[in-house]
Amino acid sequence: EEISRNKQAIAAQYSQVFGGQSFKTVDNYDWFKDINYLDFLRDVGKHVPMRQMLARDFVGNRLGEEGTGLSYAEFSYVLIQAYDFLHLYNEHGVTLQVCGSDQWGNSIAGVDLIRRKTGGEAHVYSVPLIVNKSTGKKFGKSEEGAIWLDPAKTTPTQFYQFWINADDAGAEDYLKVFTELDKDTIEAVMAEHAENQGLRVAQKRLALEVTTLVHGAEQTAVAVAVTNYLTGATSIGEADDASLQALRQEISAVHSPQNGSIVDALVRADLATSNTEARRLLSGNAIAVNGVKTANETFQPSDFQNGKLLLRRGKAFKDSALVELGE
C-alpha cells in the first residue's frame, strides 16, 4: 500500500513538472512480477559478461579493501535495470535513458544488453550530480537539509526560501539546470546580480522559477508573500487569509490582548523556554516586534497591524511567531 501511494505521488509530481505535457508512466513490477528466475538467467544473465560487471567503479569501490562489501542483491541490480531498458526498447520503442552520473554503469549495461539481444542501438544521457560549491555536498535526499517536491514534506514557502538562500557561487549553475530560462535571460539576471550581490537578484529569480515549476503560480505567490512578511518587506497587516494560513504552517501562532505580556507570548510561542529566559532575551536586545527591537515586557496597541504582529528572537525566520489579537 505504501509503495502504491508513493508511485501515485511520483506520477503526480511528474505531471506538475512536465507542465501538463502528455506522457506515459509504466511500472517495472508489471513485467517482473511473473518472471521466472531460471528464465531471467537464460534470457538476461548469459548476455552480461562478469568482467564488464566487475569493472564498474561502484563494484570495485565496494569490494576493495576500504569498501563496505556488496550483497548479491545489490550486485544483481544492474541486471534488473538493464532488463528494464531492454523491455522499454522492445515494447515502447525507447532508445534514450536519462540518468545521474552515479547511474552511468547501470544505464550503459542496458545499452549493451539491447545490442547483444536485438542488435539495436540505444543511448544514455547522463548528467553530473548537482553539488553545492560552497559546502561540497551534493543535492540529495540523504543530505542534511534536503528539500522535497512533496509539499507535505517541504512546504512551498520552505521550498522557496531554500532557493532564496542558495549560495552565490552556484546561483548561475542552478538557474541553468533547474529553470527553463534561456541563455540571454540568465546572462541578464547574472549581470544585474553582479551589480549588487546583496540584493540576491539571482536567488530571487531562481526561487520564483523553480517554485513555480514544482508548486504552481498560486502557491508560489503565497510563498513570496509569506517570505516578504517574515523579512519585513511587507507589513504583516496586509496579509490575506491564504498567506496567514501558510504563515501559521511555518511559525508558531499565539493570541494576545492589546496590552498582553511579551514574556508570556515568547514562552507560549516556544521562542523562550521560561519567563526568566524571555526577560533575559528582552534585556539583551534579542527580541523584535515587527522588525523593531524592543525591551518592553508588554505589547502596545500600536504594535498590532490589523490585529496582527510578528515577534522574533534573533534573525532567523524560523525563530518568529505570529501574534494575533485575542484572549
Side-chain angles (χ1 to χ4, degrees):
E1 291 80 4
E2 183 178 352
I3 291 171
S4 179
R5 285 195 302 270
N6 289 342
K7 289 189 292 191
Q8 291 174 12
I10 290 169
Q13 289 168 351
Y14 274 120
S15 183
Q16 170 66 32
V17 172
F18 286 170
Q21 294 295 316
S22 176
F23 66 95
K24 182 176 184 179
T25 58
V26 294
D27 185 348
N28 66 351
Y29 179 69
D30 291 337
W31 57 84
F32 268 113
K33 62 184 178 182
D34 297 321
I35 202 165
N36 180 284
Y37 181 64
L38 294 179
D39 290 342
F40 186 73
L41 290 179
R42 181 193 65 210
D43 296 336
V44 178
K46 74 175 186 179
H47 295 285
V48 181
M50 281 297 296
R51 178 179 295 179
Q52 186 183 83
M53 292 183 69
L54 290 171
R56 303 293 182 211
D57 287 342
F58 91 95
V59 174
N61 293 336
R62 294 284 292 276
L63 295 180
E65 290 184 7
E66 303 297 324
T68 57
L70 192 67
S71 71
Y72 179 72
E74 291 175 292
F75 186 70
S76 299
Y77 186 78
V78 64
L79 299 181
I80 295 174
Q81 191 165 328
Y83 185 76
D84 284 343
F85 202 175
L86 174 64
H87 178 88
L88 295 172
Y89 176 88
N90 287 332
E91 300 299 321
H92 301 283
V94 174
T95 58
L96 177 67
Q97 182 173 175
V98 180
C99 68
S101 56
D102 59 333
Q103 287 291 308
W104 168 257
N106 288 351
S107 301
I108 206 69
V111 172
D112 189 62
L113 182 61
I114 288 170
R115 180 181 59 80
R116 290 173 181 270
K117 286 280 291 182
T118 72
E121 186 176 276
H123 307 273
V124 173
Y125 178 72
S126 72
V127 295
L129 298 180
I130 309 301
V131 175
N132 183 316
K133 292 182 177 179
S134 298
T135 64
K137 292 184 177 180
K138 68 177 182 179
F139 279 51
K141 63 184 180 182
S142 61
E143 296 296 330
E144 183 180 351
I147 55 169
W148 303 82
L149 300 182
D150 185 345
K153 288 180 173 287
T154 300
T155 67
T157 298
Q158 293 166 349
F159 190 86
Y160 178 82
Q161 289 177 358
F162 173 86
W163 299 104
I164 280 281
N165 292 316
D167 56 298
D168 283 322
E172 183 173 4
D173 286 348
Y174 303 153
L175 282 166
K176 293 176 179 177
V177 171
F178 291 112
T179 79
E180 295 182 319
L181 297 178
D182 59 35
K183 181 174 181 288
D184 290 342
T185 302
I186 291 175
E187 288 178 350
V189 169
M190 293 311 300
E192 185 179 356
H193 179 78
E195 292 177 4
N196 186 347
Q197 293 190 2
L199 295 177
R200 305 186 73 76
V201 171
Q203 286 90 340
K204 289 178 181 177
R205 186 61 182 274
L206 174 69
L208 184 67
E209 295 291 332
V210 183
T211 309
T212 301
L213 276 173
V214 173
H215 294 295
E218 185 177 337
Q219 288 299 316
T220 299
V222 172
V224 172
V226 169
T227 299
N228 286 339
Y229 298 134
L230 289 173
T231 59
T234 305
S235 166
I236 187 63
E238 299 178 20
D240 57 19
D241 289 342
S243 297
L244 287 172
Q245 184 177 349
L247 194 57
R248 294 184 191 106
Q249 284 186 274
E250 305 301 327
I251 59 176
S252 298
V254 297
H255 288 87
S256 171
Q258 283 188 335
N259 299 108
S261 167
I262 294 179
V263 171
D264 181 56
L266 287 169
V267 174
R268 287 189 291 118
D270 293 325
L271 296 180
T273 57
S274 65
N275 290 351
T276 300
E277 184 189 24
R279 291 190 175 93
R280 179 178 59 79
L281 290 169
L282 284 165
S283 63
N285 206 34
I287 301 300
V289 173
N290 295 328
V292 179
K293 294 292 180 67
T294 184
N296 295 333
E297 290 195 9
T298 57
F299 294 115
Q300 304 300 312
S302 59
D303 291 335
F304 289 90
Q305 303 169 0
N306 285 335
K308 300 172 286 293
L309 65 80
L310 281 176
L311 188 63
R312 176 176 295 171
R313 182 193 70 199
K315 297 180 179 180
F317 295 160
K318 64 182 177 64
D319 293 327
S320 299
L322 174 66
V323 181
E324 300 176 84
L325 276 179
E327 296 301 326

